[in-house]
Amino acid sequence: MLINVHFLWNHVDILLAAVILVITIKTFIVSIVVKGFGYNNKTSLLVGMSLAQIGEFAFVLLSRASSIHLIEGKLYLLLLGTTALSLVTTPLLFKMIPAVVHLGVLLRWFSVDSNQVELGLKGEVLRIDSGKRINLIIQGPHDS
């Protein structure tokens, strides 16, 4: 209700740049923190991608900041749009995780921990064998 679609459409370039910047920086920072706790590269990147969106509490903070005049109207609308768009892109980030893992294995960013590792989201399984062979298996709702 608070989002002015006309304003965001007129500033779509700034909005997209802000969302990409937020997602990239948050993924990078969270990945470094998780890596600092001793986890491997794959785990740290996956956690970073999972936590890359701006949380819903930002709406509350932005509303309060606007009501006490800490931020002006245009910046408020832009930050609202950035928050909403980052929340909307979260399912797309989750869909990209198998492709990122695939790319990471191909570029040798990630090592295969055991003989076989399976990752996937809701019917998609990326199976990595120790023989460096990668198969993408799509399971339908009737497959077991």
Side-chain angles (χ1 to χ4, degrees), residues 1-12 15 73-74 76-82 84:
M1 293 283 195
L2 300 173
I3 296 175
N4 184 344
V5 178
H6 187 266
F7 174 81
L8 293 178
W9 182 253
N10 288 337
H11 298 91
V12 71
L15 179 67
K74 290 181 181 179
Y76 171 70
L77 291 174
L78 188 61
L79 291 174
L80 276 179
T82 302

Side-chain angles (χ1 to χ4, degrees), residues 102 105 112 116 127-136:
H102 178 76
V105 169
V112 179
Q116 186 172 338
R127 186 168 282 139
I128 306 168
D129 296 331
S130 61
K132 302 295 182 194
R133 187 182 69 213
I134 299 174
N135 303 316
L136 184 61

Side-chain angles (χ1 to χ4, degrees), residues 100-111:
V100 170
V101 170
H102 178 76
L103 179 65
V105 169
L106 290 177
L107 295 176
R108 300 182 193 269
W109 291 340
F110 309 137
S111 62

